[in-house]
Each structure stands twice: as structure tokens, then as C-alpha cells.
Amino acid sequence: MKWWQKLQPVAAELIILALVLAAVLAANLGHAATAGGPAQGYGLKIFRVESGLYPFVHVYMRTFDQEMNPLVNLNVLNIGVMVEGRAYDPRKKQYVIQPLRNREEATRSILVLDTNKMLKGQDFEAMIRAAARFIDAKRPQDQVALIALDNSGEGYTVLSNFDREPGILGRRLADLQPRGDKTRLYDGVAAAMQMAGGAVGGDSSSEVEYIVSTSIIVLGSGRDDDSAISRSDLMTRISSLKIPVPIYSLCFTGPEGKDQRNLQALSKNSFGKYYSIGGAYDTITRNIEDIQNIMQSDYVLTFRAYIPVDGGRHNVKIGVEYPTGSGIMYYDASVFEAIEPPTFPRIIEAQQKLDKAIPALKDEELYLKNPYAPAAVPGGKS
């Protein structure tokens, strides 16, 4: 028997192994994009990492399924935490995960309201009711701003800056009338994005004042009349945002057309969601509740880091197994800073609370052991 004939069975086994490996990789890597959309099945996006209470690190992340709805009931057994490439052992209880609704951090929302004359009558009244319903459904710590698309020189007017008080916001809404001759939709959304860019405040030791995310809710027809910024330019701005700002849109006109597709495009490109009202006013409450649920279903992962304070930036990667037991992980990565926070009483108090919830390990192995992970080569490089 020739030498190459002896290798044929081995080669066949290697080919079979390669095919199996390719199938496994295809099943897993197809779901491992950092900000996958509906076409990729499921996904997650880390939109904020805070080290202000180091060694405790907060990771704020958004999850979504094919319909852009949040993944529900995630717990530590669904989550993998990897710091500088090494995976935490979930049995060591060094990280916890909570939905935002159960915490005190605040969100901000910007309502962009179309006041075009074409929306007069039932559509306009329904739009105002929807905005009022959104304000009534928010949590006490959450803030809302109001922008009206109108006849002003810039194409919009800021009716109210960020405010928590429903009564104040409600009075601003009550003054609105459908008197606009044009709708400069893209200029109004660009202004809302600019407001969102400055919508951060407080610090991570004072959760009540700490703003973690901002969303835009557009209520109107989707029509645009000669905005100073083009749709293409606005889409580029949305895609290039360092911290994503989802745009949720409620369309109050009839059958699908070009105007409605404008709103659909804005929502899809920003990982938001589009709702068609189209005279079905009985769906408004359900749609508003859905938006509030999505906003409050962002997750906060808190883990204890063991990297000494060096002022440097270190990699963290989060994996989510969904559905539970599927063996398929979805990943996103970010960085945190190993910094020493100032010893203000409020910060020390917050650290003490976290220390009780996530006590430091003593003489225990923090990481999972993978028998196939490369080990250091004795005597240096091989």
C-alpha cells in the first residue's frame, strides 16, 4: 500500500470534522454580531459602561429579537462575562443582572410632534392623547422633552426641555394646535438628536440623578417638506452615533406610502420600532405601553473587577445565551477603566452596598477552566 493510500482514512476523518466544525461555527457566528438587526435573529448592544464605583463596573445593554422586542427574564445563567479574554465562573457570584425598570437610574425621551394642518381633527387629537399617555406612563425619575414641528425659521420649536413633572409637560401639550404649513421632519429629528447628545448627567453613585439612555419618539405623518438636512445625511448621523439613540415612530396617516416609509427607515436604522396607527386609535395605548416596556427592559449587568487600579482601559465582553439552553451565544464587547474613585461619602456608601451584594473572593479561582485554552509555554516561546 502506498503512503498516500494509508492517509486516506485519516483525511476523510479530518474532512468530516471540518464539515462539523463549519456547521457549528455557522450556527454560532451568525448570531454573534455586535449590533445585529432583525435579519440576524437576536442581538444585544452594550450602550454604556461605567467604572465610577470601581472595582464594581456597570454595563448597560439593550437586547432585541426579530421584532425588536427585548429578551425577557435574563439571569446570570444566561450571561457570560469575559474580562481580558477570561470567562468568569457564574457559580462564584461575581456579577448580577437586572432590568432597568427595577432600578433607580433614569431615562430621557424626546417627543417630536407634527403640527401640520393636514393632521387636524381626529388624527391630531389622537396624536396629543398618545403623547399624554406616554408622559403618564413614565416612571417618576424619567424625563421627557417636547419638540413641535412648526412654521418657525428652524422648522421646529422646543416646547419643553427635559422635565420630570407630568403636569408641566401636559400644559405644554395642551397649547399645541395643527397650524403648520410645512413639516420639516428631518430638521426636527436632527434637533432631537442634538438634545440627546447632551442628555447625560449625575454620576453612578447617585442613581436617581443618573441618566443612562435617551430615546426619540416621533408622532406624525412622516412627511418632510424641504428640510435643511437630507434624509441621507440624517441616516449617516444616526449610524455614526457612539451611544445609540433609538427612534420610535407612530404614524397617524392612512395607507402605506412614501411618508410612512420615511418613519420606517428612521426607526429601522436606529434600532427603534415603527407603529402604524392609520385611524386605529384603539391601538395607541398598547403601542405606547410597548415603547415604555422596551425602554425599561434594558439590562444592567454589574460585575466585580479584579484588575489592580492602573488607570488603563480593559476589555470586557458579554455573551448572552438565548433561548436558555440553546448553546448559542450572542456577543458584544466594550471597555472599562481601572480607576480609583474619589473617597466621597456617597461613593463609599454605594461601594459598601455593592460589596455586600458581590463580596470579594478570597483564595478562590475566579475564572472558568477550559481544558483547551492555550497555556503558557515553559521556558518562553515555543
Side-chain angles (χ1 to χ4, degrees):
M1 181 181 291
K2 304 294 184 181
W3 66 270
W4 63 82
Q5 291 174 322
K6 295 179 181 179
L7 288 177
Q8 284 180 349
V10 177
E13 290 180 7
L14 289 174
I15 291 173
I16 293 172
L17 181 60
L19 291 174
V20 172
L21 179 60
V24 172
L25 288 174
N28 285 274
L29 294 181
H31 300 282
T34 58
Q40 294 174 312
Y42 300 87
L44 74 152
K45 177 66 179 175
I46 295 174
F47 61 86
R48 194 179 199 88
V49 177
E50 288 296 337
S51 306
L53 296 176
Y54 195 79
F56 305 100
V57 180
H58 294 305
V59 179
Y60 297 88
M61 61 187 190
R62 183 166 293 131
T63 63
F64 43 85
D65 64 13
Q66 302 98 320
E67 304 299 326
M68 300 309 293
N69 293 317
L71 307 183
V72 297
N73 299 327
L74 294 185
N75 58 64
V76 293
L77 298 180
N78 295 105
I79 303 296
V81 177
M82 287 145 278
V83 174
E84 295 292 359
R86 301 197 67 188
Y88 275 35
D89 186 341
R91 294 169 297 182
K92 301 300 183 181
K93 300 180 180 179
Q94 293 300 288
Y95 57 92
V96 296
I97 186 168
Q98 296 174 298
L100 190 63
R101 67 165 49 84
N102 295 336
R103 296 173 60 90
E104 293 184 341
E105 291 100 327
T107 66
R108 283 180 169 174
S109 305
I110 305 165
L111 303 186
V112 180
L113 300 121
D114 190 351
T115 64
N116 195 292
K117 293 176 180 176
M118 294 182 64
L119 279 172
K120 62 184 179 181
Q122 283 187 311
D123 279 342
F124 188 80
E125 292 172 5
M127 186 187 74
I128 297 300
R129 286 200 305 272
R133 182 72 185 88
F134 182 88
I135 293 168
D136 289 340
K138 76 177 187 66
R139 300 176 304 165
Q141 68 266 40
D142 295 335
Q143 303 175 8
V144 176
L146 303 175
I147 292 179
L149 306 178
D150 55 20
N151 288 328
S152 63
E154 294 180 320
Y156 64 88
T157 298
V158 177
L159 300 178
S160 173
N161 214 315
F162 292 106
D163 205 306
R164 296 187 184 90
E165 179 52 51
I168 294 174
L169 295 164
R171 288 192 288 274
R172 299 288 187 272
L173 281 178
D175 293 336
L176 273 183
Q177 296 295 327
R179 295 170 179 166
D181 297 310
K182 293 183 178 181
T183 300
R184 288 166 58 179
L185 172 66
Y186 304 142
D187 290 342
V189 172
M193 289 174 59
Q194 188 172 4
M195 289 182 70
V200 289
D203 61 78
S204 55
S205 66
S206 177
E207 294 180 339
V208 175
E209 299 293 330
Y210 189 50
I211 308 299
V212 295
S213 68
T214 305
S215 302
I216 297 172
I217 297 90
V218 180
L219 303 95
S221 66
R223 137 186 211 148
D224 182 79
D225 299 303
D226 196 28
S227 281
I229 182 174
S230 68
R231 178 170 129 173
S232 176
D233 289 340
L234 183 58
M235 290 297 192
T236 300
R237 290 191 190 185
I238 292 172
S239 300
S240 61
L241 287 175
K242 183 177 180 182
I243 299 177
V245 179
I247 299 174
Y248 303 96
S249 52
L250 279 75
C251 183
F252 285 85
T253 54
E256 294 295 316
K258 178 183 176 182
D259 295 341
Q260 291 85 341
R261 289 195 292 272
N262 289 336
L263 291 178
Q264 288 176 323
L266 290 175
S267 293
K268 184 175 182 179
N269 195 37
S270 63
F271 295 101
K273 198 170 180 180
Y274 169 82
Y275 303 85
S276 178
I277 304 302
Y281 304 128
D282 58 330
T283 66
I284 291 175
T285 297
R286 183 169 67 251
N287 294 337
I288 291 297
E289 289 175 349
D290 188 50
I291 295 173
Q292 288 279 6
N293 176 62
I294 293 172
M295 292 172 57
Q296 295 174 22
S297 294
D298 287 341
Y299 285 95
V300 185
L301 174 74
T302 304
F303 71 92
R304 185 168 196 147
Y306 286 84
I307 294 175
V309 172
D310 60 7
R313 294 161 68 85
H314 299 274
N315 296 323
V316 58
K317 190 168 188 175
I318 306 299
V320 174
E321 183 197 34
Y322 195 87
T324 301
S326 66
I328 299 175
M329 299 289 287
Y330 311 88
Y331 296 97
D332 198 11
S334 189
V335 295
F336 66 92
E337 294 180 289
I339 56 176
E340 185 173 333
T343 56
F344 296 150
R346 190 169 61 184
I347 289 178
I348 297 297
E349 181 182 355
Q351 288 177 313
Q352 288 172 341
K353 290 179 180 178
L354 288 169
D355 184 59
K356 291 180 180 178
I358 310 176
L361 294 179
K362 296 180 180 179
D363 302 321
E364 292 184 64
E365 176 57 50
L366 170 64
Y367 301 105
L368 287 169
K369 292 292 186 181
N370 186 321
Y372 297 99
V377 178
K381 297 180 179 179
S382 58

